[in-house]
Amino acid sequence: MSTMDEKLELVTLTERQKKARRNRSVAIAVALGVLVVIFYVATIVKFGAPIINRSM
């Protein structure tokens, strides 16, 4: 296992790369959030108002 550890190269990211990674992560999170909202709205539209009023 030590030979595998020796082959492992650690990469140090620059500040610019860290910022780019964070921006990508934020973009993915926003895209997922938008998809959740789209699916929620599509479900409400498909099933209509009765599914909202059913619990009342």
Side-chain angles (χ1 to χ4, degrees):
M1 181 145 176
S2 64
T3 58
M4 197 184 291
D5 290 339
E6 291 171 5
K7 291 181 181 180
L8 183 64
E9 295 181 25
L10 299 178
V11 177
T12 305
L13 297 177
T14 64
E15 288 303 316
R16 185 175 172 191
Q17 290 171 325
K18 288 179 185 178
K19 186 174 180 181
R21 178 186 281 182
R22 174 149 174 81
N23 287 341
R24 278 193 304 272
S25 297
V26 169
I28 290 170
V30 168
L32 285 173
V34 168
L35 279 175
V36 167
V37 170
I38 288 171
F39 288 136
Y40 178 76
V41 170
T43 301
I44 297 301
V45 168
K46 181 176 180 179
F47 292 109
I51 200 163
I52 296 173
N53 296 328
R54 182 171 48 172
S55 64
M56 292 180 182

